Amino acid sequence: MGQVAWKGLFLSLFDYKTEKYVIAKNKKVGVLYRVVQLSILAYLVGWVFVVKKGYQDTDTSLQSSVITKLKGVAFTNTSELGERLWDVADYVIPPQGENVFFVMTNLIVTPNQRQDTCPEVGRTEPLGPQTPTKLGSISIPNALCYKDGDCPAGEAVVAGNGIKTGHCLKDRGSIRGTCEILAWCPVEKRSKPKKPLLASAENFTVYIKNSIRFPRFKFSKMNVLATDNESYLKSCRYSTEHPYCPIFLLGDIVRWAGSDFQEMALEGGVIGIQIEWNCDLDKAPSECNPHYSFSRLDNKFAEKSISSGYNFRFAKYYQDARGVDYRTLIKAYGIRFDVMVNGKAGKFNIIPTIINIGSGLALMGAGAFFCDLVLLYLIKKSNFYRGKKYEEVKSSSRKSLSSPTLNGNQSPDQLDGL
């Protein structure tokens, strides 16, 4: 018995299979087949070619250059700085006009610092007449001391302002004191600002010049209107009527990002400016236009958090008549703007067109395969249709196998009892 089975398996290797087309007069399967065909056709035409533009070759290796320029002046009058006029050289950092720029809206100034020894009283405890009755700062635990041995000379104060000198400074009758340090004295104040100093920065303008190039198609464009009118950029503002006037009010940018400028200017934040170039190069170059979107990149819901806002420090140095070095320390709060550019371009190419058409035809075959499964295995009279579709023929006889199920000669009515 085993030899017969192995012999049959061996001889089956030399069988030849050919397709046999059977027209099934079954309206349900016929309707299903047409629905599947129409669905695949709608997907191919609507999604692949119309929405995704599957007939195009695409280039996503966008090359971009961004140049920014700010304009605006502000006037302030404070006890520390007196009357002062602020222009772009004062509040824009860095001044080169790159794709990331910072606009200072608030600051804390510690003037007339020089290298000397002074108590590390903490950034919330200024020196001079306002020095607290008791020295020592909880905000800088490493500066607390009870004796000179708690302030080893030459050791830096962790999260502090200088190097310990070996002395513990105390008030009269006080047990706890603060370490004396070698630093820029007086040390920086840490009192947070109550309102933005440059609140009028809301009305400053920024000019964002963006040049892009798609190297595959050798296509270049700018987001600035090509005109000889020198007064155009001096009078226009970005709007739907002027999409090629990339001059924005800072207040508008923050508002479009979903934030309030005055609240954000108090302790700072980060705004993202997104420029999107999606170009269909089968159309005229004038149809390739930039699209702008704005978002707040830092966590705007963390205003009460210790990590909220955006700030950094810088100093301005000078010497007095005796040649002693002094500096004015500035802790700057403000809004950082990140300009990000991306996009893609597409143009007709026969290769992706053929590939997508071939994929669609393959899906058509998959639809026919699905309908075959329904016809041959899932409907009530599947045995009858299966017998009509598959027939085994031997060269020695014209007769089919005697199996009533497989020869396909029965009518559907004869199979009602199956």
Side-chain angles (χ1 to χ4, degrees):
M1 188 68 179
Q3 292 180 351
V4 175
W6 281 107
K7 182 180 179 180
L9 178 62
F10 176 75
L11 293 177
S12 67
L13 296 176
F14 301 98
D15 291 344
Y16 171 73
K17 295 180 181 179
T18 184
E19 292 185 4
K20 178 181 179 180
Y21 293 96
V22 178
I23 301 176
K25 299 293 186 178
N26 188 305
K27 290 184 174 59
K28 292 182 179 179
V29 178
V31 170
L32 176 63
Y33 182 52
R34 298 307 176 193
V35 169
V36 171
Q37 280 186 321
L38 289 175
S39 300
I40 294 173
L41 186 62
Y43 163 77
L44 184 64
V45 174
W47 179 255
V48 176
F49 285 105
V50 175
V51 178
K52 290 298 183 180
K53 293 182 172 60
Y55 55 88
Q56 290 184 334
D57 187 16
T58 59
D59 183 4
T60 57
S61 57
L62 176 69
Q63 298 173 350
S64 172
S65 171
V66 175
I67 299 174
T68 56
K69 293 182 181 180
L70 280 97
K71 293 290 181 68
V73 294
F75 177 79
T76 60
N77 187 0
T78 63
S79 58
E80 294 173 333
L81 300 175
E83 294 184 350
R84 181 163 181 175
L85 184 71
W86 300 80
D87 61 13
V88 292
D90 299 313
Y91 60 76
V92 177
I93 304 170
Q96 291 89 348
E98 301 174 353
N99 61 331
V100 176
F101 61 94
F102 173 83
V103 178
M104 185 169 60
T105 57
N106 216 346
L107 70 160
I108 297 175
V109 180
T110 307
N112 303 324
Q113 285 186 320
R114 67 186 181 94
Q115 293 194 9
D116 201 352
T117 57
C118 56
E120 175 67 277
V121 294
R123 296 175 183 170
T124 58
E125 302 169 5
L127 290 175
Q130 292 79 27
T131 301
T133 305
K134 295 184 179 180
L135 291 174
S137 173
I138 299 178
S139 64
I140 306 179
N142 191 242
L144 297 177
C145 64
Y146 295 90
K147 58 184 183 300
D148 289 345
D150 296 331
C151 304
E155 180 182 285
V157 180
V158 178
N161 297 280
I163 305 297
K164 297 176 183 177
T165 63
H167 300 290
C168 180
L169 305 180
K170 300 178 184 178
D171 287 323
R172 292 180 181 178
S174 176
I175 299 176
R176 187 179 67 180
T178 185
C179 292
E180 183 185 59
I181 59 171
L182 173 64
W184 285 94
C185 300
V187 294
E188 180 194 33
K189 308 170 188 177
R190 202 184 176 182
S191 55
K192 285 192 175 183
K194 303 300 182 183
K195 61 180 181 179
L197 179 68
L198 299 180
S200 59
E202 186 173 7
N203 298 316
F204 294 172
T205 61
V206 57
Y207 166 58
I208 304 175
K209 178 182 176 183
N210 179 214
S211 303
I212 58 103
R213 181 176 182 268
F214 292 102
R216 180 176 297 180
F217 304 122
K218 296 182 172 63
F219 177 83
S220 302
K221 197 168 184 181
M222 288 176 52
N223 66 336
V224 183
L225 182 66
T227 178
D228 295 331
N229 185 359
E230 296 181 358
S231 63
Y232 175 72
L233 291 177
K234 297 179 180 179
S235 58
C236 70
R237 293 292 182 272
Y238 174 81
S239 65
T240 54
E241 291 79 16
H242 298 282
Y244 280 87
C245 175
I247 299 178
F248 305 86
L249 286 172
L250 297 186
D252 288 342
I253 293 177
V254 174
R255 187 177 72 256
W256 292 334
S259 298
D260 180 81
F261 186 90
Q262 296 302 322
E263 292 180 1
M264 196 173 184
L266 183 62
E267 293 190 12
V270 184
I271 293 290
I273 303 174
Q274 186 80 34
I275 306 178
E276 191 86 21
W277 293 85
N278 290 321
C279 300
D280 185 352
L281 300 184
D282 292 325
K283 300 178 181 179
S286 59
E287 297 295 321
C288 176
N289 299 316
H291 298 278
Y292 300 89
S293 60
F294 309 89
S295 59
R296 183 164 181 178
L297 302 182
D298 64 321
N299 188 359
K300 68 178 180 179
F301 301 106
E303 281 86 357
K304 304 302 180 183
S305 170
I306 59 173
S307 62
S308 64
Y310 183 83
N311 63 78
F312 60 92
R313 295 170 179 83
F314 65 96
K316 297 182 178 181
Y317 297 86
Y318 60 95
Q319 289 183 341
D320 64 4
R322 296 173 297 172
V324 178
D325 291 326
Y326 284 84
R327 75 175 188 182
T328 298
L329 180 65
I330 298 174
K331 183 178 181 181
Y333 295 83
I335 304 174
R336 193 183 82 177
F337 295 87
D338 293 6
V339 183
M340 299 163 286
V341 184
N342 57 44
K344 65 178 181 178
K347 194 173 185 179
F348 175 77
N349 191 303
I350 191 63
I351 294 177
T353 304
I354 293 175
I355 291 174
N356 283 303
I357 291 176
S359 300
L361 294 177
L363 285 175
M364 290 289 189
F369 175 76
F370 172 73
C371 291
D372 275 354
L373 291 178
V374 174
L375 181 69
L376 301 179
Y377 298 101
L378 300 180
I379 64 175
K380 184 177 181 181
K381 297 181 175 60
S382 59
N383 289 333
F384 168 73
Y385 291 110
R386 194 160 61 247
K388 287 292 185 180
K389 182 174 177 63
Y390 300 109
E391 183 175 357
E392 184 177 327
V393 179
K394 293 184 178 180
S395 60
S396 60
S397 174
R398 286 179 170 271
K399 281 188 170 185
S400 301
L401 293 178
S402 58
S403 172
T405 303
L406 297 176
N407 63 15
N409 293 327
Q410 291 83 359
S411 66
D413 294 335
Q414 292 174 322
L415 294 174
D416 286 341
L418 294 179

